[in-house]
Amino acid sequence: MKLNLRNIFYLITLFNTPYNQYLKQIDVHATHAGYFSIDKKGHKVDSKTKRGSDFSDDESAYELILKDKERLLSLDNPVRFIFSHSALREGWDNPNVFQICTLKHGGDSTTNKRQEVGRGLRLCVNQSGDRMDEQVLGSDVQGINKLTVIASDGYKDFVSSLQNDIKDDLYERPTKATVEYFQGKRIKIGDDVVTITSDQANAIYFYLVKNSYIDEDGHVTDAYRAEAENKTLAPLPDKIKSMAAGVHALVQSIFDEHALDDMIDDGHQTKIQENALNDNFYKKEFQTLWHYINHKWSYTVHFDSQELIRKAIRHIDEKLFVSQLQYTVTKGKQGDDWSAETIKSGNGFVSEKSHTYDLKRGETSQVKYDLVSKIGAGTHLTRKTVAMILKGISSAKFAMYRHNPEEFISKVTKLINEEKATMIVDDITYNKTDGTYDSEIFTAEKNKDFSKAYPAKKNVQDYVFTDGTAEKSIERKFAEDMDLDDKVVVYAKLPRGFQIPTPVGNYAPDWAIAFQKGTVKHIYFVAETKGSMESMDLRPIEQAKIKCAKTLFNEISTDDVVYGQVDSYQNLLNMMNAIRMKS
């Protein structure tokens, strides 16, 4: 929902001006109108429904807000505040929007935010409909044509994105025709794509200088524009004549952003469209391993409900803490220094001050929660079991529910699952189903950033996408070490679609590895790479998932197949050597 305050200058001041007198005579019930195009369920609202005043029924508000702009801007009309639902996306063309207050959560799309904010970025008009631009207002144009947005936290990302887009528009397009600008550009000649060499770039530059198509600073001259328009440009030298269309597209792109459309090869376009399976996947060693592990499984688990209730109550009483609901108000504005360097640094919008408040109304909220059902859904426990846990926790802990219901539900669910995780792993049984994983799960994930991928040698796909942002993440180092070791025949970075079901969530191991027969005790290994080998460093739920995976792979293991948790390739080798010594 949007609240649009129509004019920032409709404020009552201490001065007894005619305008102040005019504002004071407006009846408070007549100064707002609302148009609701759809209700919260997506149904059309009856536009003839009356809502309490001459201007507040939807039908008259619709006519006033969306159709009768002149009457809306007139001083004869008392409406100064407009409440609207979805109206800002319906082509509303009102230039005199100076304040927008968003009443919904900030998770809306960037496109919608741009549409909404764009309503307030038009130059305003006076009572005669004349634009209040720099010709009329002079240096006051920025002060009067000013949009204030009272926004939720989602607008932080929107503002950052907007600055990046402005920066891209300003910096990606060239401003001068130089040798460096032409060199290395990829242009199309027929169906072929060629790269402009250093010699060709010099020839292009000399051609432009010789024909006075650029000035001494490298800027394209009016002479070039005129001759290009009249199609009377001088012919290019023989050595670059075949690329004439691409060369002139490059020159014209300096003053026409669409000149490169369909002519210049997009250097940012992903050259590798997919990460297909390669010959490694079809090696007999990997096919044998894949046959072992590609089955789908179901599980059966039994545990004592009364024991879980007792442990969950104790765990919640010890660990639960729910914070008071708070909100932070940050005030900022577009900076006065709107220079290219400011935009490039991302400092075009400046935060001035912020203050955090406790949300007192949280204890008296009228929102109703089905507490037992919510926790039951998150823990997969019966309503009876959840009710007994909540009944058993201390009154002080249960009182935290009033402070922050959502956090209470989330944290209690997590704490119950932690206790559940410690109980189930010792009594879980896996059963093979008829389903199997198809090889297509390796190529199901699209739109990967190949610039950050590791070009592997022995993986079943050409590229490995590793976790982590470090230049040498644990997974990347693991893959590099496997590629170097002659004991490894083939390996696979298992996709996230390959999952093992557990009572506390699905689990996805990281690697499947096939070794040269005779070089190690176990030919096949399924590995989970973690940054730490200490179980205390892992969350209880993560520990439980790994223990469930071990149970499953112990069931399907032969003398040649093993599952383990490691933090490096050397650690994997040490583990297998230890197993060999025991056997």
Side-chain angles (χ1 to χ4, degrees), residues 164-176:
N164 287 334
D165 288 348
I166 294 172
K167 180 181 69 175
D168 291 342
D169 288 341
L170 289 176
Y171 284 89
E172 288 191 358
R173 283 184 56 193
T175 58
K176 298 180 180 181

Side-chain angles (χ1 to χ4, degrees), residues 283-324:
K283 288 183 177 179
K284 67 178 191 292
E285 291 88 352
F286 187 78
Q287 286 298 309
T288 303
L289 172 56
W290 185 237
H291 177 72
Y292 276 124
I293 68 174
N294 76 335
H295 294 285
K296 294 184 178 181
W297 299 82
S298 63
Y299 64 83
T300 303
V301 64
H302 302 281
F303 57 87
D304 187 339
S305 296
Q306 293 303 315
E307 182 183 1
L308 174 62
I309 291 170
R310 291 193 298 271
K311 288 185 174 181
I313 290 171
R314 182 177 67 250
H315 196 44
I316 292 171
D317 282 343
E318 290 177 355
K319 300 292 186 180
L320 180 65
F321 176 78
V322 177
S323 59
Q324 175 74 42

Side-chain angles (χ1 to χ4, degrees), residues 31 56 80 107 166 178 187 201-202 222 364 369 508 511 525 552 580:
T31 196
S56 62
R80 293 294 175 270
I166 294 172
T178 63
I187 60 176
N202 278 295
D222 291 338
T364 59
Y369 295 86
W511 305 92
F525 203 95
L552 171 60
R580 181 175 57 184

Side-chain angles (χ1 to χ4, degrees), residues 389-500:
I389 293 173
L390 294 175
K391 184 177 179 181
I393 65 178
S394 68
S395 57
K397 295 295 183 180
F398 189 76
M400 293 179 180
Y401 170 67
R402 297 199 303 270
H403 299 318
N404 193 334
E406 289 85 358
E407 185 176 334
F408 180 90
I409 292 170
S410 174
K411 288 190 172 180
V412 167
T413 299
K414 176 177 177 292
L415 292 170
I416 293 175
N417 278 334
E418 287 179 353
E419 282 303 312
K420 183 181 172 185
T422 63
M423 296 179 61
I424 61 175
V425 293
D426 296 327
D427 191 19
I428 187 171
T429 303
Y430 279 95
N431 308 290
K432 185 186 295 186
T433 69
D434 293 335
T436 58
Y437 287 105
D438 192 272
S439 60
E440 291 180 356
I441 67 169
F442 286 94
T443 57
E445 296 183 22
K446 304 295 183 182
N447 301 321
K448 289 280 192 177
D449 183 359
F450 282 82
S451 66
K452 299 180 180 179
Y454 166 63
K457 299 176 182 177
K458 299 177 182 178
N459 185 47
V460 297
Q461 295 168 278
D462 291 338
Y463 289 85
V464 172
F465 295 90
T466 56
D467 294 335
T469 57
E471 182 178 353
K472 288 289 186 181
S473 66
I474 292 173
E475 288 189 351
R476 184 178 180 111
K477 187 66 168 62
F478 197 85
E480 290 175 347
D481 289 342
M482 286 191 291
D483 274 336
L484 291 174
D485 193 344
D486 57 9
K487 292 190 290 294
V488 176
V489 178
V490 58
Y491 65 88
K493 178 69 168 67
L494 294 172
R496 287 303 171 190
F498 182 86
Q499 296 185 333
I500 298 169

Side-chain angles (χ1 to χ4, degrees), residues 112-274:
N112 287 339
K113 287 187 176 73
R114 291 192 176 187
Q115 290 175 341
E116 295 158 0
V117 171
R119 306 300 178 190
L121 294 180
R122 295 176 175 86
L123 290 174
C124 63
V125 300
N126 61 13
Q127 294 301 113
S128 301
D130 300 323
R131 292 286 182 187
M132 295 291 99
D133 55 18
E134 191 171 5
Q135 301 295 326
V136 178
L137 299 174
S139 60
D140 291 332
V141 65
Q142 298 293 340
I144 293 178
N145 288 286
K146 182 177 182 180
L147 174 67
T148 300
V149 179
I150 305 169
S152 54
D153 57 357
Y155 272 73
K156 181 179 180 181
D157 295 334
F158 163 67
V159 170
S160 176
S161 173
L162 182 62
Q163 290 187 94
N164 287 334
D165 288 348
I166 294 172
K167 180 181 69 175
D168 291 342
D169 288 341
L170 289 176
Y171 284 89
E172 288 191 358
R173 283 184 56 193
T175 58
K176 298 180 180 181
T178 63
V179 173
E180 292 74 20
Y181 167 59
F182 293 108
Q183 185 176 340
K185 289 292 190 298
R186 294 164 59 87
I187 60 176
K188 293 180 181 179
I189 301 179
D191 294 331
D192 298 326
V193 176
V194 299
T195 302
I196 297 177
T197 66
S198 175
D199 288 342
Q200 290 169 335
N202 278 295
I204 296 169
Y205 180 75
F206 181 75
Y207 160 80
L208 296 173
V209 172
K210 177 182 177 181
N211 292 281
S212 300
Y213 289 155
I214 58 174
D215 60 23
E216 59 184 13
D217 294 322
H219 296 116
V220 178
T221 61
D222 291 338
Y224 179 89
R225 298 184 188 220
E227 293 186 25
E229 180 71 21
N230 296 323
K231 295 182 171 50
T232 57
L233 287 166
L236 287 163
D238 290 341
K239 65 163 54 175
I240 54 175
K241 184 177 292 185
S242 62
M243 56 178 65
V247 168
H248 287 300
L250 282 170
V251 176
Q252 291 166 24
S253 71
I254 296 174
F255 56 85
D256 179 4
E257 63 180 330
H258 298 295
L260 299 181
D261 294 352
D262 302 322
M263 177 54 65
I264 306 303
D265 186 53
D266 184 0
H268 298 292
Q269 184 179 5
T270 303
K271 299 300 184 295
I272 304 173
Q273 299 300 321
E274 60 179 10

